[in-house]
Amino acid sequence: MTTADSHNGRRLTARGEKTRARIVAAAADLMYVQGVGPTTLDHVLAASGASKSQLYHHFDGKEALVRAVVDHVGQRVIQREREALGHVSTVRGLRRWRDALVQNNALRHGAYGCALGSLAIEIADHDTIAREALSQLFTEWQGLLVGVLRRLQDGGDLPPTASIDQLATGIMAALQGGYMLAQTARNVAPMATSLDMALAHIETLSER
């Protein structure tokens, strides 16, 4: 059985697909920890155990590999957020979502930040295709928050006049800004505070 490689149009065998996935996963881990710029193709080869010919069979170079990493990380993050937010319909549920993200980031003392946000900071100004892919991923993530807020509104916990899209943007900005502050401080407290303020505003609206 063969599948299409979406980046170069080549057909992949099941074995080739596994090799490609192993390269992308290794690159994603390295780029998350040490950054996109410092991560070289030689680093990726060493971490993945792939040969140079295998890497260049799947990718024309580092730019193509970075774009594959964006897709890989994006799918992972969005799937996590779908599972976390897909059925949330209360402010308490949003609080539990906040707690899980903060607690997970606390395990690293805030280091490395958001996997998607870190990629965006490094590559958004240098690769239009990658930037557009990241923009779509953030839009999808924010859309999940819109879904939660709409369920709150439908249940009477938010007034009909509340701007759902603006509130979702505020929560996302608090989350990403919180990740960045936690990363620089090596302390998750700023992330917790920024999310608490965003959710406190939601709670204020729900009490009216």
Side-chain angles (χ1 to χ4, degrees):
M1 180 180 178
T2 61
T3 57
D5 183 329
S6 61
H7 286 273
N8 56 30
R10 296 188 180 100
R11 305 297 295 181
L12 296 182
T13 63
R15 184 174 180 180
E17 190 173 7
K18 287 181 180 178
T19 299
R20 183 183 186 279
R22 188 172 75 249
I23 292 170
V24 173
D29 289 343
L30 288 170
M31 290 176 186
Y32 181 54
V33 172
Q34 63 188 33
V36 174
T39 298
T40 67
L41 294 181
D42 285 339
H43 293 153
V44 176
L45 290 173
S48 66
S51 67
K52 187 172 291 188
S53 63
Q54 286 175 318
L55 188 148
Y56 282 104
H57 176 74
H58 297 292
F59 305 101
D60 294 332
K62 185 175 177 180
E63 184 177 77
L65 178 58
V66 170
R67 291 173 183 174
V69 166
V70 170
D71 291 342
H72 171 78
V73 172
Q75 289 174 13
R76 188 174 62 198
V77 170
I78 295 301
Q79 181 58 37
R80 181 197 72 200
E81 293 302 295
R82 282 198 194 109
E83 293 173 359
L85 293 169
H87 300 290
V88 173
S89 58
T90 64
V91 175
R92 182 176 294 180
L94 267 178
R95 283 281 178 190
R96 286 195 293 267
W97 167 76
R98 169 264 187 216
D99 291 346
L101 288 176
V102 170
Q103 289 167 9
N104 185 61
N105 203 26
L107 296 175
R108 303 186 299 269
H109 303 288
Y112 314 127
C114 170
L116 279 184
S118 297
L119 286 170
I121 289 170
E122 290 202 66
I123 66 179
D125 292 334
H126 308 291
D127 186 335
T128 299
I129 292 175
R131 179 188 61 76
E132 290 175 349
L134 284 161
S135 178
Q136 291 174 1
L137 288 163
F138 279 115
T139 296
E140 187 171 356
W141 192 348
Q142 188 167 315
L144 294 170
L145 288 167
V146 167
V148 172
L149 296 171
R150 186 164 290 125
R151 288 191 290 275
L152 286 173
Q153 196 172 55
D154 291 343
D157 290 327
L158 283 177
T161 55
S163 175
I164 298 302
D165 289 335
Q166 289 182 0
L167 290 172
T169 298
I171 295 172
M172 180 60 72
L175 174 61
Q176 293 302 320
Y179 267 124
M180 184 182 69
L181 292 173
Q183 183 178 4
T184 55
R186 286 297 188 269
N187 187 330
V188 78
M191 178 185 181
T193 299
S194 63
L195 282 171
D196 283 343
M197 292 185 69
L199 296 187
H201 179 58
I202 302 294
E203 289 170 334
T204 298
L205 292 174
S206 71
E207 293 168 358
R208 293 181 183 177

